[in-house]
Amino acid sequence: MTRVEVAGVEVSTEHFIGGERAGSDTTFTDISPIDAEPVAEVARGGEREADLAVAAAQEAFPAWGALGTAGRAEVMHRLADLIDANVERLAAVECADMAMLLRSLRARVISRGARNFRAYADLAVAYEERVWESNGTRNRVVRRPSGPAVVITPWNAPFMLSTWKTAPALAAGCTVILKPAEWSPLSCSLLCDLVAEAGFPPGVFNVVQGIGEEIGAALTRHEGVRRISFTGSPETAVHIGTAAARNIVPFTGELGGKGPLLVFADADLEGAARKAAGQYDDAGQVCLAGTRLLVERSVEDAFLELFHRFTDEHVLGDPRDDATTVSPLIHADHLERVEGFVERARANGDEIVRGGRRREDVGPLFYDPTLVIPRSNDSEIVQREVFGPVLTFQTFADEQEAVALANSTRYGLSGIVYTGSEERAERVGRGVRAGTVWVNTFLVRDLTAPFGGVGISGIGREGGDYALDFYSDLKTLQILDGTTA
């Protein structure tokens, strides 16, 4: 077995198929964003590995599905306990691999993975079949696991997002083939070790690593797959959705956002400005971030003064240092993409109010927290997702204009509203076109609530029973009244 030491932790660089580690003929280089240096050579899967992983998932599916919700919950709770016991190891590896702030990983992000497994296991056990009588029959809606599921996850918060997607699939009785992003695969490899230690039967949980256009494409077009769940870009989702449609396979996609952060004059301006400056956390690599600041015109100057004060408090640096608040971007290619957006905005005549430059004095992949005032709402910097430490600033005159601006992009994943009025919170919260709208708060998640986007931000819903239903075939069982054995 090929293992490397990452942040003092031994990590396998091989796939996990049928309960065993498996290599490939070729590898890809995993690079740490902290210093842009190689971390490991990782097994690079393709058609062969896709076939092996799907075959393993197919073989394991009947017994796992037949185990029942209580039996599956027992195994999943053991895994959750192991995640909690290994937070330090998982956090250290993910920080080295993806450069999320180490203190955040330790405090909340990794442990969310344990919460995911416990929550979905318990939800599946607590499921109550819908029962009713009609037309002289007794009726029940029965959940049946759908079969092998492919889960494709992004490079930001890879461990948490992988558990968020695989937990409901496993709880529903599906077997899983997880394809982590090639820019941050290593914490998912550690998850495989914990899966084995928890006693999951071989083939129930599989991980194949590699390039999206290779192993990802092979998995999504495979005829043995019965569900596909993806988080990533709308452009990639088009290819995955097309492949899924060819095999009539249900598909969910959480596809990023361009969230508005609306601030009304009656809001707690200091709280709103602090939260706005907080959108630079994790170098802005958060799909739910409120990247379009929309502020009522009468408080524009007061808000900006506070916003700049709080943004000035940010510290760019090593994500392992507790003093750091803004980490590096994930990869040189992504840094170039973010920089390209800002340079095109500059050329377009949009005003770069602050930032707008690389910070090579800090490290090779850092970009300054940037604020842009666009020439118009049609500017590219307003209309397309940057996924970096870049915010735009616009003003509005009234509630109607605020909602119109909030809804003026093709995205619709999330929105944030700051107001002191309960009535306005209700009106604007309903009016903003998004899958989730927070009022006077941000990133508070209830795992039973539906999660997903509208427009090009996604298709389908995850969370709670919505996720469990997605990974199930729903059967209506009708029995004629008076039927006896």
Side-chain angles (χ1 to χ4, degrees):
M1 183 189 301
T2 303
R3 286 185 174 268
V4 297
E5 186 173 299
V6 179
V9 180
E10 274 201 357
V11 185
S12 173
T13 59
E14 295 182 321
H15 313 291
F16 186 72
I17 300 174
E20 297 182 351
R21 292 292 181 173
S24 290
D25 295 334
T26 58
T27 62
F28 64 93
T29 303
D30 182 32
I31 294 173
S32 173
I34 296 174
D35 55 12
E37 293 294 328
V39 175
E41 292 296 317
V42 181
R44 181 172 179 165
E47 293 279 356
R48 181 178 73 89
E49 289 79 7
D51 288 341
L52 289 171
V54 174
Q58 288 176 312
E59 184 176 353
F61 171 65
W64 182 249
L67 185 59
T69 55
R72 294 191 292 268
E74 183 179 343
V75 184
M76 292 176 67
H77 273 273
R78 286 203 297 268
L79 176 57
D81 292 343
L82 286 168
I83 291 171
D84 280 338
N86 285 274
V87 165
E88 288 293 326
R89 296 172 67 246
L90 289 160
V93 169
E94 186 145 306
C95 180
D97 203 24
M98 186 256 154
M100 181 179 281
L101 297 178
L102 182 58
R103 68 172 184 276
S104 296
L105 290 165
R106 285 172 167 164
R108 57 181 177 83
V109 178
I110 298 299
S111 60
R112 165 70 188 276
R115 285 179 55 212
N116 287 337
F117 281 109
R118 290 192 185 99
Y120 283 111
D122 293 345
L123 277 170
V125 169
Y127 174 67
E128 294 184 5
E129 297 175 352
R130 181 188 170 202
V131 180
W132 74 102
E133 293 189 4
S134 67
N135 302 314
T137 63
R138 286 171 286 126
N139 305 269
R140 285 192 295 140
V141 176
V142 180
R143 273 185 185 155
R144 304 297 301 165
S146 58
V150 164
V151 171
I152 300 177
T153 52
W155 45 259
N156 60 316
F159 182 84
M160 188 277 286
L161 289 175
S162 294
T163 63
W164 164 245
K165 286 181 172 292
T166 58
L170 293 166
C174 294
T175 50
V176 167
I177 307 103
L178 168 64
K179 191 275 177 193
E182 55 265 33
W183 283 353
S184 55
L186 297 182
S187 58
C188 290
S189 182
L190 280 182
L191 177 60
C192 297
D193 295 339
L194 302 183
V195 163
E197 188 176 347
F200 277 74
V204 169
F205 185 92
N206 308 275
V207 172
V208 286
Q209 301 157 145
I211 310 304
E213 295 87 345
E214 298 169 1
I215 184 66
L219 287 170
T220 55
R221 65 172 174 257
H222 202 290
E223 293 182 353
V225 170
R226 295 315 310 149
R227 291 293 186 273
I228 299 173
S229 183
F230 168 70
T231 295
S233 72
E235 293 79 11
T236 301
V238 170
H239 297 292
I240 294 175
T242 300
R246 288 196 178 104
N247 290 323
I248 319 297
V249 174
F251 160 61
T252 62
E254 191 264 275
L255 309 177
K258 193 71 177 175
L261 194 162
L262 295 89
V263 181
F264 288 89
D266 63 357
D268 169 10
L269 285 189
E270 183 169 331
R274 185 180 294 279
K275 190 62 67 177
Q279 304 308 297
Y280 293 122
D281 289 355
D282 295 318
Q285 299 171 135
V286 179
C287 57
L288 293 165
T291 58
R292 292 183 293 135
L293 308 184
L294 306 176
V295 177
E296 191 163 354
R297 203 160 293 138
S298 62
V299 293
E300 172 184 1
D301 292 340
F303 175 87
L304 280 174
E305 181 180 351
L306 289 164
F307 172 80
H308 287 304
R309 184 206 306 171
F310 294 133
T311 302
D312 287 341
E313 295 175 359
H314 276 304
V315 177
L316 280 67
D318 190 322
R320 297 166 294 191
D321 187 336
D322 284 348
T324 297
T325 61
V326 177
S327 48
L329 292 166
I330 182 72
H331 194 276
D333 290 350
H334 190 57
L335 172 59
E336 187 175 334
R337 179 180 183 273
V338 170
E339 185 177 50
F341 272 104
V342 177
E343 291 310 308
R344 289 192 298 275
R346 202 189 306 271
N348 183 55
D350 300 332
E351 182 184 357
I352 313 301
V353 177
R354 68 176 299 144
R357 64 191 180 101
R358 297 189 186 212
R359 287 295 304 275
E360 293 177 345
D361 57 312
V362 182
L365 297 179
F366 285 86
Y367 199 82
D368 235 1
T370 298
L371 184 66
V372 181
I373 297 179
R375 286 180 58 192
S376 78
N377 194 55
D378 295 330
S379 292
E380 180 195 45
I381 201 74
V382 176
Q383 293 297 321
R384 291 185 60 196
E385 183 179 43
V386 179
F387 214 64
V390 179
L391 308 180
T392 61
F393 180 85
Q394 298 167 271
T395 60
F396 58 83
D398 53 31
E399 194 174 297
Q400 183 177 1
E401 185 181 11
V403 173
L405 284 171
N407 295 341
S408 64
T409 76
R410 297 176 67 199
Y411 296 90
L413 185 61
S414 63
I416 307 167
V417 179
Y418 271 83
T419 178
S421 165
E422 187 174 343
E423 292 77 13
R424 175 176 285 126
E426 185 72 23
R427 288 194 305 269
V428 176
R430 288 177 176 272
V432 172
R433 187 173 60 93
T436 300
V437 176
W438 287 282
V439 179
N440 297 330
T441 188
F442 177 56
L443 274 186
V444 178
R445 290 283 295 119
D446 182 333
L447 299 186
T448 64
F451 177 78
V454 299
I456 64 170
S457 283
I459 181 171
R461 287 293 181 271
E462 301 176 14
D465 283 335
Y466 306 91
L468 293 170
D469 282 349
F470 170 73
Y471 288 110
S472 304
D473 292 323
L474 300 182
K475 175 189 293 185
T476 301
L477 181 60
Q478 285 188 282
I479 302 175
L480 184 68
D481 282 348
T483 299
T484 57

Coordinates of all heavy atoms in Angstrom, one line a residue, residues 69 122-132 139-143 465 468-469 474-475:
T69 N -32.8 -0.1 8.4 CA -32.3 1.2 8.9 C -31.6 1.1 10.2 O -30.6 1.8 10.4 CB -33.5 2.2 9.0 OG1 -34.5 1.6 9.8 CG2 -34.1 2.5 7.6
D122 N -30.2 8.5 12.1 CA -31.4 8.6 12.9 C -32.6 8.9 12.2 O -33.7 8.5 12.5 CB -31.1 9.6 14.0 CG -30.0 9.2 15.0 OD1 -29.6 8.0 15.0 OD2 -29.5 10.0 15.7
L123 N -32.5 9.8 11.2 CA -33.7 10.2 10.4 C -34.2 8.9 9.6 O -35.5 8.8 9.5 CB -33.3 11.2 9.3 CG -33.3 12.7 9.8 CD1 -32.7 13.6 8.8 CD2 -34.7 13.2 10.1
A124 N -33.3 8.1 9.1 CA -33.8 6.9 8.4 C -34.5 6.0 9.4 O -35.6 5.4 9.0 CB -32.6 6.2 7.7
V125 N -34.0 5.8 10.6 CA -34.7 4.9 11.5 C -36.0 5.5 11.9 O -37.0 4.7 12.1 CB -33.8 4.8 12.8 CG1 -34.6 4.1 13.9 CG2 -32.5 4.0 12.5
A126 N -36.2 6.8 12.0 CA -37.4 7.4 12.5 C -38.4 7.6 11.4 O -39.6 8.0 11.7 CB -37.1 8.8 13.1
Y127 N -38.1 7.2 10.2 CA -39.1 7.4 9.1 C -40.4 6.7 9.3 O -40.4 5.5 9.7 CB -38.4 6.9 7.8 CG -39.4 6.9 6.6 CD1 -39.8 8.1 6.0 CD2 -39.8 5.7 6.0 CE1 -40.6 8.2 4.9 CE2 -40.6 5.8 4.9 CZ -41.1 7.0 4.4 OH -41.9 7.0 3.3
E128 N -41.5 7.4 9.1 CA -42.8 6.8 9.3 C -43.5 6.7 7.9 O -43.6 7.7 7.2 CB -43.7 7.6 10.2 CG -43.1 7.6 11.7 CD -44.1 8.3 12.6 OE1 -45.1 8.8 12.2 OE2 -43.7 8.5 13.8
E129 N -43.8 5.5 7.5 CA -44.5 5.4 6.2 C -45.8 6.1 6.2 O -46.6 6.0 7.2 CB -44.7 3.9 5.9 CG -43.4 3.1 5.8 CD -43.6 1.6 5.6 OE1 -44.8 1.2 5.7 OE2 -42.7 0.9 5.3
R130 N -46.1 6.7 5.1 CA -47.4 7.3 5.0 C -48.5 6.2 4.8 O -48.3 5.3 3.9 CB -47.5 8.3 3.8 CG -48.8 9.0 3.6 CD -48.8 9.7 2.3 NE -50.2 10.2 2.0 CZ -50.6 10.5 0.8 NH1 -49.8 10.5 -0.3 NH2 -51.9 10.9 0.6
V131 N -49.5 6.2 5.6 CA -50.6 5.1 5.5 C -51.9 5.8 5.4 O -52.2 6.7 6.2 CB -50.5 4.2 6.8 CG1 -51.5 3.1 6.7 CG2 -49.1 3.6 6.9
W132 N -52.8 5.3 4.5 CA -54.1 5.8 4.4 C -55.0 4.8 3.7 O -54.5 3.8 3.2 CB -54.1 7.1 3.7 CG -53.9 7.1 2.2 CD1 -54.9 7.2 1.2 CD2 -52.7 6.9 1.5 NE1 -54.3 7.1 0.0 CE2 -53.0 6.9 0.1 CE3 -51.4 6.7 1.9 CZ2 -52.0 6.8 -0.9 CZ3 -50.4 6.6 0.9 CH2 -50.7 6.6 -0.4
N139 N -53.3 1.7 1.9 CA -52.2 2.2 1.1 C -51.0 2.5 2.0 O -51.2 3.1 3.1 CB -52.6 3.4 0.4 CG -53.8 3.2 -0.5 OD1 -53.7 2.8 -1.6 ND2 -55.0 3.4 0.1
R140 N -49.8 2.2 1.5 CA -48.6 2.6 2.2 C -47.6 3.1 1.2 O -47.5 2.5 0.1 CB -48.0 1.4 3.0 CG -48.7 1.1 4.3 CD -47.9 0.1 5.1 NE -47.7 -1.2 4.4 CZ -46.6 -1.9 4.4 NH1 -45.5 -1.4 5.0 NH2 -46.5 -3.1 3.8
V141 N -46.8 4.1 1.6 CA -45.7 4.5 0.8 C -44.4 4.0 1.4 O -44.1 4.3 2.6 CB -45.6 6.1 0.7 CG1 -44.3 6.5 -0.1 CG2 -46.8 6.6 0.0
V142 N -43.7 3.1 0.7 CA -42.5 2.4 1.2 C -41.3 2.9 0.5 O -41.2 3.1 -0.7 CB -42.7 0.9 0.9 CG1 -41.5 0.1 1.4 CG2 -44.0 0.3 1.5
R143 N -40.3 3.2 1.3 CA -38.9 3.5 0.7 C -38.1 2.3 0.5 O -38.0 1.4 1.3 CB -38.2 4.4 1.7 CG -38.4 5.9 1.7 CD -37.4 6.5 2.7 NE -37.7 8.0 2.8 CZ -37.3 8.7 3.9 NH1 -36.8 8.0 4.9 NH2 -37.5 9.9 3.9
D465 N -35.3 14.5 5.1 CA -36.0 13.5 4.3 C -35.9 13.7 2.8 O -36.1 12.8 2.0 CB -37.5 13.4 4.7 CG -37.6 12.7 6.1 OD1 -36.8 11.8 6.4 OD2 -38.6 12.9 6.7
L468 N -33.0 11.6 1.8 CA -33.3 10.2 1.9 C -34.3 9.8 0.8 O -34.2 8.7 0.2 CB -33.9 9.9 3.3 CG -32.9 10.1 4.4 CD1 -33.6 10.0 5.8 CD2 -31.8 9.0 4.4
D469 N -35.2 10.6 0.5 CA -36.2 10.3 -0.6 C -35.4 10.2 -2.0 O -35.7 9.4 -2.8 CB -37.3 11.4 -0.7 CG -38.4 11.2 0.3 OD1 -38.4 10.1 1.0 OD2 -39.2 12.1 0.5
L474 N -39.5 5.2 -4.2 CA -40.8 5.2 -3.4 C -41.8 4.3 -4.1 O -42.1 4.5 -5.3 CB -41.3 6.7 -3.3 CG -40.3 7.7 -2.6 CD1 -41.0 9.0 -2.6 CD2 -39.9 7.2 -1.3
K475 N -42.3 3.4 -3.3 CA -43.3 2.4 -3.8 C -44.6 2.6 -3.1 O -44.6 2.8 -1.8 CB -42.8 1.0 -3.5 CG -43.8 -0.1 -3.9 CD -43.3 -1.4 -3.4 CE -42.1 -1.9 -4.2 NZ -41.7 -3.3 -3.8

